[in-house]
Amino acid sequence: MICDNISINAAGHLCFAGVDTIELANKYGTPLYLLDENKIREKCRIYQGAMKSAFGEDALPLYAGKALCIKDIYRIMREEGMGIDVVSSGEIFTAVRGGFPMERAYFHGNNKTDADISYAMDNGVGYFVCDNEEELLAIEREATARNIKQKILIRVAPGIDPHTHKAISTGSVDSKFGAAIETEQAMTLVMLAIGQPHVSLEGIHCHVGSQIFETQPFTDAARIMVDFAANVRDRLNFTFREINIGGGMGVPYLEEHPRIDYAANIEEIGKAMRACCEAHGFPMPRVRMEPGRSIVADAGMTLYTVGTLKSIPGFRNYVSVDGGMPDNPRYALYQSPYTVVMADRMNDECDTVCTVAGRCCESGDLIQEGVALPYPQRGNIIAVLTTGAYNYAMASNYNRLPRPAMVRLCDGEDTLILRRETFEDLIRNEL
Ligand code: LLP
């Protein structure tokens, strides 16, 4: 199995975090999201330990909440001593309600509205990751009105192609995010920030992309960031205290995907950064990384019930489940691979190649194609693995399907942390 929190019990049922998934499907209904709390904690600890060893004691991983933003995650992040990355007032609201200490929050986004900026300051968000000039001036205005000095980082585009899906590669020069180093716009934005009396420029941030398996995009990013920092020091006599190299380390969705040794990766990035700092005579900065997917992806799983099998002779077998693109739009959007199994018949022979389809009125509503399963029957339970990141976070009510419930698993206990939406929820905002 692709992750060590998955096993098969004597009944031939899939177990997740040691709990029989069929019992969970019977108890809570489907579609159902599951969340393995201990797996999330394990990942936080890997990042915490590896970053402190690679970059020094003041290094801090920030969990990127866009991967999964629910109150309960922020309890775990607080307890694990993590920082967080937030991207909207809605995420800030959720983190505050989850009891997260907001001085360890970093506010991202290429278009923070005045209302967002004000909301973030009212809620004591520690750092703004400033994307552009207009935002910088808006931060200065709001900070002046409050008579505070707001800590910021400048988001730079380091111009790295991370060899990943184009739609999720954000560090190249042609990007809606940040100011490019190559075009001198980053330098201009830094100069402007240094001149703002109510802004404390702490450092720079970049994010090269997502679902990256190689180490090199990150070591490249680390070097480019330190080179730029040294250049700023030499030209402007200003030294950044903090460098944030973003998130993006990949996770295996399929058996054949590489397994990343996150700690070894981080160690290597640390070496690259130290060497570059030494070469420039630049003090080792406080380092931040922003993992989202690699913290929560394999802590998640989705359970569905099979409704129907449609075999089209000469074409294919469609097995339809009771969820689909509203709870997991990633195949429809990015053709994202997933491991799909028949959770109640794990020991049966996988003799039927299927397209796993959702229930929406849209032919692109597929969960996965080319999946080998035991011949599916109505009522069977299908599990899609590794759905902790960017599934519930990207869920919709398309076709007026209520969003699924989410159950947290911890030390053999199951707890409902998100109730299934009701039909009343669907019309809640209609006047
Ligand atoms: N930091 C910044 C500034 C980001 O933009 C992102 C992701 C992260 C950190 C976290 O990256 P991660 O470690 O999760 O790869 N919806 C897409 C992923 C979009 C990622 C956007 N930014 C998907 O489902 O694959």
Side-chain angles (χ1 to χ4, degrees):
M1 281 293 176
I2 51 176
C3 191
D4 61 7
N5 53 0
I6 295 170
S7 59
I8 301 171
N9 66 13
H13 293 174
L14 180 73
C15 294
F16 190 49
V19 184
D20 186 324
T21 58
I22 305 309
E23 283 175 16
L24 294 169
N26 290 337
K27 180 167 172 186
Y28 296 101
T30 60
L32 183 67
Y33 294 117
L34 304 177
L35 195 64
D36 174 1
E37 174 167 346
N38 287 334
K39 180 53 78 180
I40 296 174
R41 291 184 184 278
E42 179 190 319
K43 293 298 196 51
C44 291
R45 287 169 198 180
I46 290 173
Y47 270 96
Q48 287 276 25
M51 284 187 66
K52 288 184 176 20
S53 130
F55 305 113
E57 279 305 309
D58 56 2
L60 184 68
L62 317 176
Y63 165 65
K66 69 206 76 176
L68 177 64
C69 185
I70 52 173
K71 286 189 298 175
D72 203 41
I73 275 282
Y74 294 105
R75 170 185 63 84
I76 300 174
M77 294 306 143
R78 172 171 46 78
E79 289 172 6
E80 292 297 328
M82 300 279 285
I84 58 168
D85 143 354
V86 289
V87 296
S88 66
S89 294
E91 286 196 1
I92 292 169
F93 174 80
T94 310
V96 168
R97 285 296 184 88
F100 193 81
M102 295 306 281
E103 67 274 9
R104 292 209 304 270
Y106 288 66
F107 188 17
H108 283 277
N110 63 308
N111 188 14
K112 303 174 187 75
T113 64
D114 289 349
D116 287 329
I117 292 169
S118 154
Y119 188 76
M121 286 184 188
D122 288 346
N123 283 285
V125 167
Y127 296 77
F128 281 59
V129 181
C130 176
D131 185 274
N132 56 67
E133 197 176 310
E134 286 86 349
E135 181 190 327
L136 177 64
L137 299 178
I139 293 171
E140 173 63 24
R141 268 197 309 276
E142 285 295 332
T144 307
R146 290 169 166 76
N147 199 22
I148 59 167
K149 208 161 163 109
Q150 179 62 53
K151 286 188 275 195
I152 70 160
L153 305 182
I154 297 284
R155 173 144 186 179
V156 306
I160 294 171
D161 168 12
H163 309 293
T164 184
H165 197 292
K166 195 167 180 294
I168 51 177
S169 83
T170 45
S172 58
V173 173
D174 179 9
S175 167
K176 72 169 182 167
F177 296 105
I181 294 175
E182 199 176 306
T183 59
E184 281 283 311
Q185 282 161 303
M187 188 63 80
T188 307
L189 189 54
V190 166
M191 269 161 31
L192 191 64
I194 293 172
Q196 304 303 316
H198 295 89
V199 161
S200 167
L201 177 58
E202 300 288 308
I204 42 176
H205 166 275
C206 72
H207 171 74
V208 291
S210 201
Q211 185 60 353
I212 300 171
F213 285 114
E214 301 83 12
T215 313
Q216 198 180 339
F218 299 104
T219 51
D220 285 352
R223 282 192 208 98
I224 291 169
M225 296 294 269
V226 174
D227 285 348
F228 179 67
N231 194 11
V232 166
R233 177 200 55 190
D234 297 345
R235 279 169 62 179
L236 307 178
N237 193 26
F238 185 89
T239 303
F240 294 135
R241 284 182 286 265
E242 187 163 315
I243 291 185
N244 180 329
I245 55 171
M249 284 200 205
V251 304
Y253 285 93
L254 301 177
E255 208 56 68
E256 62 263 33
H257 281 170
R259 306 294 189 268
I260 292 186
D261 181 339
Y262 298 102
N265 243 11
I266 292 166
E267 201 56 52
E268 220 172 297
I269 301 165
K271 274 192 202 132
M273 189 174 271
R274 274 183 198 286
C276 200
C277 282
E278 275 163 29
H280 286 292
F282 195 84
M284 187 68 182
R286 298 192 301 256
V287 176
R288 305 288 180 260
M289 292 178 79
E290 290 168 346
R293 188 191 311 271
S294 52
I295 299 285
V296 290
D298 56 10
M301 178 184 283
T302 309
L303 304 178
Y304 301 102
T305 302
V306 171
T308 171
L309 176 73
K310 184 172 294 175
S311 297
I312 311 175
F315 291 88
R316 55 168 133 183
N317 301 310
Y318 283 97
V319 56
S320 293
V321 298
D322 54 353
M325 63 192 288
D327 63 79
N328 181 0
R330 296 192 69 256
Y331 189 76
L333 275 175
Y334 320 118
Q335 294 77 52
S336 300
Y338 280 102
T339 298
V340 181
V341 298
M342 189 78 88
D344 49 345
R345 295 164 59 196
M346 292 301 288
N347 295 329
D348 289 10
E349 198 192 334
C350 294
D351 52 6
T352 315
V353 176
C354 301
T355 290
V356 181
R359 58 172 297 180
C360 287
C361 292
E362 175 150 339
S363 20
D365 171 26
L366 304 178
I367 295 286
Q368 203 62 209
E369 293 175 274
V371 180
L373 294 171
Y375 189 80
Q377 283 155 5
R378 193 174 179 87
N380 281 152
I381 301 294
I382 278 185
V384 179
L385 312 189
T386 331
T387 57
Y390 304 111
N391 272 234
Y392 176 66
M394 295 174 74
S396 75
N397 288 125
Y398 186 43
N399 283 189
R400 289 262 142 154
L401 296 179
R403 288 183 184 81
M406 187 180 293
V407 170
R408 182 187 66 218
L409 305 174
C410 189
D411 302 330
E413 302 260 312
D414 51 284
T415 310
L416 184 69
I417 54 169
L418 179 72
R419 70 168 170 78
R420 186 176 302 285
E421 282 179 347
T422 62
F423 297 142
E424 286 297 331
D425 289 331
L426 297 174
I427 56 166
R428 191 178 50 208
N429 297 324
E430 291 179 35
L431 306 174

